[in-house]
Amino acid sequence: MDQVTESGTLVVLFKGGEALIHNDLIQILLYARNKDFSIILLTNGILINNKFISILKQINVAFVQVSLLCLTASGNFSPCPGFDMVLGNVYKDSVRDIWESSPSIKSLRKVTNASFTAYMKCDSLDYCNICPAKLYNESGGDMFKIDRCFCEIAKSEKCSAIK
């Protein structure tokens, strides 16, 4: 952020995967605020709670866009358009019941970057885009399973950055 501040950048946008799973997001937002950026946050909203809303107000985030889950023609809700996990079905349950009671949403609300323990040990982590949707879809439903293809991409990115 220091470099883009020097270049005259005024706005910084945080998105994902899901930005809210980053363990240091609040510190990063505070740093962006101290650099006087206008801050935009894109999220699926699953991890937003009253405490986080209070923090966003204190930081004075300019804009928060919440995608209220992806709704398919069959009535299925998923965390985002690229995420094959079904959280509920609007034809069987109310949106409120899905939002508050879905076992899948409850489990997703517990996920942080630290939940991806195998990835946290990787020496190419700084070059890895941990996207729960991609990992879930590619593994057939286990977002915590290491996908060697994504690891190779991260290692290649690391090599390119070092050169």
Side-chain angles (χ1 to χ4, degrees), residues 56-109:
L56 291 178
K57 286 179 180 178
Q58 291 172 354
I59 295 172
N60 195 23
V61 171
F63 184 81
V64 178
Q65 178 180 325
V66 177
S67 60
L68 292 176
L69 309 174
C70 180
L71 181 59
T72 66
S74 64
N76 288 338
F77 274 60
S78 63
C80 72
F83 209 149
D84 291 340
M85 178 185 284
V86 176
L87 304 176
N89 185 289
V90 73
Y91 298 122
K92 297 177 183 173
D93 298 300
S94 71
V95 172
R96 169 175 249 144
D97 285 345
I98 294 169
W99 187 254
E100 293 177 355
S101 304
S102 164
S104 296
I105 283 185
K106 287 181 178 182
S107 68
L108 284 174
R109 286 183 175 135

Side-chain angles (χ1 to χ4, degrees), residues 18-137:
E18 174 53 49
L20 272 62
I21 68 170
H22 195 289
N23 293 337
D24 298 322
L25 180 64
I26 292 171
Q27 287 79 16
I28 293 168
L29 294 174
L30 285 168
Y31 191 79
R33 170 55 47 232
N34 289 335
K35 291 290 181 180
D36 203 29
F37 283 112
S38 179
I39 301 168
I40 298 172
L41 178 64
L42 305 181
T43 176
N44 63 23
I46 289 175
L47 299 175
I48 291 180
N49 56 34
N50 288 337
K51 180 181 175 185
F52 190 74
I53 290 170
S54 178
I55 292 168
L56 291 178
K57 286 179 180 178
Q58 291 172 354
I59 295 172
N60 195 23
V61 171
F63 184 81
V64 178
Q65 178 180 325
V66 177
S67 60
L68 292 176
L69 309 174
C70 180
L71 181 59
T72 66
S74 64
N76 288 338
F77 274 60
S78 63
C80 72
F83 209 149
D84 291 340
M85 178 185 284
V86 176
L87 304 176
N89 185 289
V90 73
Y91 298 122
K92 297 177 183 173
D93 298 300
S94 71
V95 172
R96 169 175 249 144
D97 285 345
I98 294 169
W99 187 254
E100 293 177 355
S101 304
S102 164
S104 296
I105 283 185
K106 287 181 178 182
S107 68
L108 284 174
R109 286 183 175 135
K110 296 176 185 173
V111 175
T112 66
N113 271 354
S115 303
F116 298 89
T117 55
Y119 287 88
M120 294 297 116
K121 298 174 188 172
C122 179
D123 64 350
S124 298
L125 177 63
D126 290 342
Y127 303 89
C128 185
N129 178 13
I130 299 174
C131 174
K134 285 193 292 188
L135 297 172
Y136 181 90
N137 297 345

